[in-house]
Every structure is written in structure tokens, then in C-alpha cells.
Amino acid sequence: MPELVTRPEWAEENDDDRRLLRLVERGHAEGSIDPAMTKEWLLQLLWSLLYTAWELTREKTPKHEALTLCLRSLEKVIAVG
């Protein structure tokens, strides 16, 4: 496991996590994010997607392609219906 994810500062929610959770709550309220996807699930999913994109760039995938795949995956997961 990369040292990055074992650091103590990753063990607790930070301001960025809380902002993202509020954004998901707003999306739920507005109907733009599937309510079946909980905010906690989506927070973990986003971190997983970002990690996967980072891993791909280490294996010679261009950064713009990894980012595009990451964002497209997220969009499809949060879509309503």
C-alpha cells in the first residue's frame, strides 16, 4: 500500500471531505445526484477513482485520458435514473 494512504492525516475527515459531502447533499436535494448513492459511498468512490487514475498515469496512460475516464465514471455513477 502506498505510504500516502497510511499517513495519520488521511484517517479523519477534513474540510475538503466535508465540502464534498455538502455538495453531494445539495445534489440529492436538487435531484441531480442519485439518492440511492449515499454521500459516504460517493466520497469513498471518488477517492477510489482518483487513486485508480493516478495508478494509470504511473503505467504510461496520459494524464488527460486518466482524468477523462475518472470523471466519466463518476458522472455515470451519480446520474439519476
Side-chain angles (χ1 to χ4, degrees), residues 8-10 22 24 43 49 51-52 55-56 66 74 76 78-79:
E9 59 266 27
W10 287 81
R22 285 193 304 272
V24 172
L43 177 65
L49 287 170
Y51 177 81
T52 302
E55 276 288 320
L56 282 176
L74 183 63
K76 289 189 171 285
I78 66 173

Side-chain angles (χ1 to χ4, degrees), residues 44-54 69-70 73-74 77:
Q44 294 301 317
L45 179 68
L46 177 59
W47 283 118
S48 298
L49 287 170
L50 290 170
Y51 177 81
T52 302
W54 174 75
L69 290 168
C70 177
S73 297
L74 183 63
V77 168

Side-chain angles (χ1 to χ4, degrees), residues 23-35 37-39 42:
L23 182 66
V24 172
E25 287 172 348
R26 189 176 84 206
H28 283 154
E30 294 173 352
S32 60
I33 295 179
D34 185 345
M37 297 288 131
T38 67
K39 60 185 181 182
L42 291 175

Side-chain angles (χ1 to χ4, degrees), residues 13 17-25 39-40 43:
E13 252 181 33
D17 292 329
R18 286 186 282 279
R19 279 188 213 103
L20 181 59
L21 292 172
R22 285 193 304 272
L23 182 66
V24 172
E25 287 172 348
K39 60 185 181 182
E40 296 81 12
L43 177 65

